[in-house]
Amino acid sequence: MKAQDENREVLPTGERYHHGIALYESVYRESLENPNGFWSKAASILDWDRKWDKILDDTNAPFYRWFLNGKLNVCYNAVDRHAKSGNRNKAAYIWVGEGGEEKIITFEGLYRRVNNLSNALINLGIEKGDKILIYLPMILEAPVAMLAAARIGAVFSFVFAGFGASAISERINDAKAKIVITADGGYRNGKILDLKRTIDEALVSTSSVQNVIVVRRSGHQVEMEDGRDIWYHDLVRDGSKYVAPVELESNDPLFILYTSGTTGKPKGVVHGNGGYAVWVANTMKWAFNPNDTDRWWCAADIGWITGHSYIVFAPLILGLTSIMYEGSITYPSPDRLWDIAEKYGVNILYTSPTAIRTLMRYGEKYVKMHDLSTIRVLGTVGEPINPPAWRWYHENIGSSKAPIIDTYWQTETGGFVISPSLGLGLPPLKPGSATFPMPGIDPVILDEEGNEARIGEKGLIAYRRPWPGMLLTLHNDPERFVKTYFDRFKGKYYCGDYAVKDSDGYYWLLGRADEVLKVAGHRLGTIEIEDALLSSREVAEAAVFGKPDEVKGEVIVAFIVVKNEFRGISDIASGLRKQIKSELGPIYVPEEIHIAETLPKTRSGKIMRRVIKAVFLDEVPGDVSTLESSASVDEIRAAIESFRKQAQ
Ligand code: WTA
């Protein structure tokens, strides 16, 4: 708790915005005391085709259903109503290519493109409920594809362009996707990512895909399979065809987004239409309080939940102008973000602690090259932000006046759950704390046994009631949904994070309590990487864990035991790296791969991952009883001793 205690002082930083939190407190209280009235008002942020019968249906808990029998179309709310109003000529996106190109697309232009693609999808036979897999870089066709799917009631599953072939085929097979929308390639650090080739590899082990629609972006040579692959520009004619938005029930699925959990198989998090859209639009208003004329820049990738919710759905529903940047934050030079922020007069910048720490390393020189005076508000997401990075961001990028909205949330929560609320009266900020719950969110910090933790005591954060943006279920696996989120603490949603509440009521999120890593903000499962290692010819045993890293938060370390017949062969590690890169994707490649003679195991044969980690990091505590729940203290001691000897 030391680091936080040192930062207990109330900073003057929120001051300009700090009008007291009385409004926040009364809104928050109302959200808990009068949820029906509260959510009814909050839902009027959308246009509904039919009003709901019930705000919250909990008869099938924990499968909570919000705005039951309410009918709407999210694409209509995000696009049509702006294209048909005074926002028609307003920019929806200002897109900046990695090479510096600029494209500005108005709400009316977005409307036309979405209709054109919707029409093409219908012509290919896509209907309500069909699944579309999107594997696109940060180009405008990405939001267009998501919105077109939403318009016709198809369910999209977006796969981040950094994932490899087997990650894609697994997702295609789980969702039985009929269509893939991809590009020939995308740009990253001046190089071309060969996306189409990865899709071709992935499709070898799938059977549901009828067509692959390919956007031409990089222009390099790609294979096009006759009868299956179609160029986007050949298929999607630019016309004025109108496709009526399909009326959907609030709890029909909008998208599936796979995320890592504690098994080797990613979880297909399903979000619905009504509850999700109400949640993302309202949380964006509460947390960031954007003005109509603001330029909002969420510098995340569209393939992660942050991009889904806060590059696409929330800002469009609110009719805001977003900056969308295609490439790497250090390309062609480390001032790229600041250059774009100055050139386009960005007012609100939302990015990750890893990005901040990466750019902080290059020093203030790159920041000073630019006038960042238009920036009024800053935000962070994805991992805890350490106070020095918070201060650097605040002082250098926010000119010591922009408040930092540290938003804590998860793929499963749909949108922010704990965050300062600039729109409801900003609390005095404490660097490293996400401050207070959003309206409707009722968190509690529990000890391992499920008792409420004391103030200042680290515990597990859970939620005592549902909220509109929470996941509907896990695709194809309702049992896993219940088991993963509601079994640990009966009747409460729990998803793996440590937290502490201080004596002023501020929440501090302290990282994952499970076998999930956060590498540069990317959520990765240790078991997925172990499975990939074990699927190679050479590896007999594997243990993967995270090592703290100053910039990326954590990096991946693997310990492996090589099968007898492969012992002594050099370069096993580089072969494994290559294999992981093509199967899972570059973000999964371990920074260190160590070869050991044996790995410590419990009597029942379970590898003691945490023991290996503790020995490796030189962190073995006197009391080893917490290190491995399924082993005796003697067993752990013996395992530590023998592993230590080996490591020397
Ligand atoms: C972590 C990303 C501390 C947390 C939106 C959570 C954070 C996981 C914060 C979800 C934050 C996210 N402070 N930790 N502001 N934001 N996390 O699903 O461990 O990719 O459980 O969603 O990121 O990661 P996911």
Side-chain angles (χ1 to χ4, degrees):
M1 282 340 354
K2 190 156 169 283
Q4 290 142 27
D5 285 333
E6 281 167 5
N7 292 297
R8 277 282 163 82
E9 89 270 27
V10 172
L11 293 189
T13 52
E15 219 85 305
R16 235 184 72 177
Y17 297 88
H18 178 45
H19 307 301
I21 57 170
L23 178 62
Y24 164 78
E25 283 173 342
S26 78
V27 170
Y28 181 70
R29 202 171 324 112
E30 197 208 335
S31 74
L32 299 192
E33 287 170 5
N34 174 20
N36 284 341
F38 183 84
W39 290 116
S40 178
K41 237 186 292 159
S44 67
I45 207 161
L46 302 176
D47 287 349
W48 296 79
D49 299 328
R50 181 188 186 276
K51 209 177 161 189
W52 50 89
D53 295 332
K54 208 171 175 191
I55 293 276
L56 170 63
D57 176 30
D58 57 2
T59 42
N60 231 341
F63 298 90
Y64 298 101
R65 296 298 175 249
W66 286 86
F67 308 108
L68 191 71
N69 296 331
K71 297 276 173 65
L72 79 167
N73 184 282
V74 172
C75 176
Y76 174 86
N77 277 281
V79 183
D80 297 41
R81 59 178 185 160
H82 305 299
K84 300 287 169 200
S85 73
N87 278 343
R88 179 176 167 221
N89 293 321
K90 182 174 178 178
Y93 290 107
I94 299 174
W95 177 87
V96 184
E98 200 183 60
E101 318 93 292
E102 167 191 291
K103 283 186 194 165
I104 299 180
I105 177 171
T106 61
F107 275 96
E108 208 271 339
L110 185 62
Y111 171 81
R112 213 176 64 247
R113 283 167 177 80
V114 168
N115 272 286
N116 291 337
L117 178 59
S118 301
N119 187 40
L121 290 171
I122 287 173
N123 288 340
L124 288 176
I126 297 302
E127 294 172 355
K128 179 181 165 187
D130 284 345
K131 312 293 188 301
I132 298 178
L133 185 118
I134 306 175
Y135 185 61
L136 284 172
M138 289 281 288
I139 55 177
L140 286 167
E141 285 80 358
V144 168
M146 295 157 89
L147 292 160
R151 186 173 195 84
I152 63 174
V155 180
F156 67 85
S157 158
F158 205 119
V159 180
F160 169 58
F163 278 117
S166 69
I168 300 168
S169 46
E170 189 172 19
R171 287 156 174 75
I172 290 178
N173 290 333
D174 190 60
K176 300 210 173 37
K178 276 198 183 166
I179 296 266
V180 170
I181 304 181
T182 188
D184 48 359
Y187 288 99
R188 196 82 200 163
N189 285 311
K191 294 198 200 81
I192 293 174
L193 274 179
D194 202 338
L195 303 177
K196 177 61 168 61
R197 207 176 64 195
T198 308
I199 286 290
D200 290 340
E201 265 173 53
L203 290 184
V204 172
S205 32
T206 67
S207 57
S208 58
V209 174
Q210 294 164 3
N211 293 107
V212 179
I213 304 175
V214 188
V215 178
R216 184 176 282 153
R217 169 65 191 132
S218 53
H220 73 293
Q221 188 71 33
V222 294
E223 300 277 331
M224 294 291 279
E225 194 182 295
D226 259 1
R228 185 193 75 185
D229 302 352
I230 320 164
W231 285 107
Y232 190 100
H233 54 266
D234 286 337
L235 177 79
V236 184
R237 302 275 165 208
D238 189 11
S240 52
K241 175 96 187 154
Y242 171 71
V243 175
V246 172
E247 208 177 84
L248 296 166
E249 200 275 329
S250 172
N251 299 284
D252 280 335
L254 174 64
F255 63 84
I256 308 172
L257 183 56
Y258 289 83
T259 189
S260 296
T262 52
T263 73
K265 195 173 173 292
K267 305 179 288 194
V269 168
V270 180
H271 280 291
N273 282 268
Y276 170 80
V278 167
W279 187 248
V280 296
N282 278 291
T283 49
M284 184 166 176
K285 267 185 82 165
W286 292 328
F288 285 98
N289 198 27
N291 299 325
D292 275 351
T293 51
D294 274 343
R295 287 185 173 172
W296 158 257
W297 186 11
C298 169
D301 195 283
I302 206 160
W304 302 100
I305 191 67
T306 306
H308 284 47
S309 298
Y310 298 105
I311 297 178
V312 183
F313 292 108
L316 291 178
I317 289 169
L318 298 178
L320 296 172
T321 299
S322 283
I323 306 292
M324 185 173 159
Y325 169 57
E326 177 183 36
S328 157
I329 59 171
T330 49
Y331 185 85
S333 104
D335 69 330
R336 191 63 195 266
L337 287 192
W338 323 135
D339 182 45
I340 295 175
E342 175 181 23
K343 184 167 173 192
Y344 294 99
V346 167
N347 305 107
I348 313 179
L349 173 66
Y350 182 43
T351 188
S352 68
T354 291
I356 297 162
R357 291 189 295 256
T358 303
L359 298 173
M360 183 175 154
R361 277 215 161 166
Y362 289 100
E364 283 83 73
K365 178 174 109 196
Y366 290 98
V367 182
K368 296 219 162 80
M369 290 159 67
H370 299 282
D371 173 3
L372 299 179
S373 56
T374 55
I375 293 183
R376 203 182 69 241
V377 184
L378 294 169
T380 74
V381 56
E383 1 154 21
I385 181 161
N386 49 319
W390 194 104
R391 291 206 178 84
W392 186 84
Y393 193 38
H394 174 68
E395 285 159 20
N396 292 283
I397 313 308
S399 311
S400 294
K401 48 178 216 277
I404 293 181
I405 308 299
D406 176 355
T407 64
Y408 164 77
W409 57 300
Q410 303 172 319
T411 303
E412 292 87 343
T413 69
F416 317 143
V417 285
I418 299 185
S419 164
S421 298
L422 185 55
L424 301 175
L426 192 75
L429 300 176
K430 302 187 189 191
S433 167
T435 73
F436 300 109
M438 290 274 103
I441 296 294
D442 187 14
V444 59
I445 297 178
L446 304 171
D447 65 17
E448 298 282 339
E449 279 74 52
N451 304 312
E452 201 165 329
R454 282 192 304 275
I455 293 293
E457 193 184 5
K458 176 174 169 180
L460 304 164
I461 186 159
Y463 301 86
R464 290 182 279 219
R465 59 167 86 196
W467 63 97
M470 75 189 296
L471 74 167
L472 294 178
T473 186
L474 290 177
H475 186 64
N476 275 343
D477 211 345
E479 280 161 29
R480 188 174 176 198
F481 166 75
V482 178
K483 196 161 164 256
T484 307
Y485 304 109
F486 298 93
D487 259 13
R488 178 75 198 263
F489 303 115
K490 278 279 171 256
K492 298 183 187 78
Y493 168 89
Y494 166 71
C495 178
D497 281 309
Y498 285 123
V500 66
K501 191 170 162 176
D502 71 19
S503 51
D504 297 324
Y506 283 61
Y507 287 86
W508 301 78
L509 285 306
L510 305 174
R512 301 287 308 190
D514 56 10
E515 303 297 345
V516 168
L517 304 178
K518 269 284 174 172
V519 179
H522 302 320
R523 179 166 162 184
L524 311 175
T526 50
I527 322 267
E528 288 167 79
I529 308 165
E530 287 171 4
D531 283 354
L533 288 165
L534 290 169
S535 74
S536 75
R537 289 185 315 155
E538 299 93 346
V539 176
E541 290 173 15
V544 166
F545 56 86
K547 168 180 136 181
D549 182 85
E550 271 188 19
V551 174
K552 295 183 176 173
E554 284 187 294
V555 293
I556 306 168
V557 176
F559 272 80
I560 56 167
V561 174
V562 174
K563 286 181 191 156
N564 278 339
E565 60 268 40
F566 295 101
R567 290 205 174 179
I569 296 180
S570 63
D571 238 19
I572 284 189
S574 72
L576 292 172
R577 285 200 169 89
K578 241 189 240 151
Q579 184 197 327
I580 293 180
K581 189 170 170 191
S582 86
E583 274 184 24
L584 295 177
I587 52 173
Y588 280 91
V589 176
E591 180 124 326
E592 299 177 25
I593 298 183
H594 298 272
I595 299 182
E597 290 291 310
T598 54
L599 296 180
K601 292 190 208 63
T602 61
R603 255 190 293 271
S604 58
K606 204 171 142 229
I607 292 174
M608 295 158 140
R609 192 187 290 109
R610 288 163 71 198
V611 167
I612 303 172
K613 178 173 177 174
V615 173
F616 179 75
L617 298 178
D618 223 3
E619 269 178 358
V620 182
D623 171 16
V624 294
S625 63
T626 58
L627 270 181
E628 179 64 52
S629 52
S630 58
S632 72
V633 172
D634 285 349
E635 244 180 303
I636 298 167
R637 286 233 165 77
I640 290 172
E641 273 321 300
S642 89
F643 192 66
R644 237 190 208 142
K645 273 198 204 113
Q646 232 190 93
Q648 274 160 11

